Amino acid sequence: MDRMRELGLIVPRWTAVDEDYPLHPAIGFERLAAKRQEQIDEMAGALRSDQQAAGRFIADYSEFLQQTSSHEVEVYRGRDRAHQRMQHFQPTKSVWGLLTDPEPSDREPSDSPDIPLLERGVEIRTIYPESALKHASIRKYARYVIDRGVKIRVTPSLPMKILIFDGESAVMGIDPDDTAVGAVVHHSRAVVRVAEELFLSYWHKAVDPFELPYTKADREITAQESEFLRLLVQGGTDEQVARKLGVSLRTVRRIAAKLSEQVGASGRFELGVRAAQRGWVD
């Protein structure tokens, strides 16, 4: 009975003291539903208030993180915005670069933006994939700037494009496989250190572009073919191998066909096995 009174399903009579009577169920349950709806509305209002407060907190926290870390990372989406940002770098000590896709140009080497940097005493070190030297304009440019102090080396393949300015900023692609996506500029000392170590690891293995040992008599294959085999046995796809070698898919398939014929292999797996047997790959 107490519970019924608490729910409002039994109410006191106006004309009699200490006497209750039951409400009609339709009225009683309607009042009960209205009360419950009022409670729900109150809870919903409190929930909305909490959500708004949480939203403000998240926004404040995100702004805090941005303020404390934005100076270490800059993101530029799209090739044009990334290129514009590159123009604002004014290095005073050094520029190191892994250039996976140097583009042939009809411009004279004397118009290179590297020349003013050299005149200011900036050290420039660049590593190209071997395939870049097949382009006459790139060979011409390389000879010209080397004579003026730029240090250039080549290697069979490169992992990604990286530019390091003054040992303080490292520029990498948002997507290492597609430079059109944009670039990320890292100022964090930890990231820059990793970029420098990666550059130096390739620099020590790379060679002078005009003293390049295109063939290895003891192995009967070129350095590029050796790198192709190394990437092949690591499970690289034709697309991945082409990107790292800086060549076309057609060239990758031509190398595969040549080596397969050379060792009598009928497929990529067999080519890897026979190359290993000959000591061409570890």
Side-chain angles (χ1 to χ4, degrees), residues 65-250:
L65 289 181
Q66 184 175 9
Q67 289 174 347
T68 57
S69 62
S70 60
H71 69 282
E72 294 187 346
V73 179
E74 304 172 40
V75 179
Y76 296 91
R77 298 197 175 275
R79 182 174 301 179
D80 291 340
R81 292 189 64 194
H83 181 70
Q84 290 172 4
R85 175 63 180 91
M86 295 305 99
Q87 309 312 308
H88 287 83
F89 278 105
Q90 296 294 326
T92 60
K93 294 181 292 186
S94 64
V95 179
W96 294 359
L98 299 178
L99 299 185
T100 57
D101 56 349
E103 297 181 359
S105 173
D106 295 331
R107 295 194 313 171
E108 288 298 318
S110 56
D111 295 331
S112 168
D114 290 340
I115 303 303
L117 296 178
L118 291 171
E119 293 173 348
R120 297 204 305 266
V122 176
E123 177 199 50
I124 300 177
R125 294 196 206 181
T126 305
I127 306 177
Y128 291 153
E130 279 182 20
S131 58
L133 272 296
K134 294 180 181 179
H135 300 284
S137 64
I138 294 179
R139 288 199 305 273
K140 179 181 178 181
Y141 165 81
R143 286 187 182 277
Y144 181 87
V145 296
I146 286 174
D147 289 342
R148 284 153 182 79
V150 173
K151 299 174 183 178
I152 294 179
R153 293 186 181 181
V154 293
T155 188
S157 70
L158 291 171
M160 61 188 296
K161 185 174 182 178
I162 298 177
L163 291 172
I164 306 169
F165 295 93
D166 287 339
E168 297 175 352
S169 302
V171 183
M172 309 174 191
I174 294 175
D175 181 350
D177 297 329
D178 186 359
T179 56
V181 176
V184 180
V185 182
H186 295 275
H187 302 289
S188 162
R189 186 58 198 144
V191 175
V192 175
R193 175 68 61 81
V194 170
E196 288 178 323
E197 293 297 329
L198 179 63
F199 175 88
L200 290 172
S201 71
Y202 276 85
W203 181 261
H204 294 318
K205 294 184 294 184
V207 297
D208 185 299
F210 300 110
E211 296 179 4
L212 181 64
Y214 283 99
T215 60
K216 295 186 178 181
D218 59 331
R219 290 191 171 190
E220 305 174 25
I221 58 174
T222 67
Q224 185 183 66
E225 291 168 346
S226 177
E227 185 67 5
F228 163 81
L229 290 170
R230 185 183 72 82
L231 296 170
L232 175 69
V233 299
Q234 288 181 349
T237 64
D238 284 357
E239 290 78 7
Q240 292 170 332
V241 172
R243 177 177 61 79
K244 292 186 176 183
L245 292 179
V247 299
S248 66
L249 278 173
R250 183 177 178 181

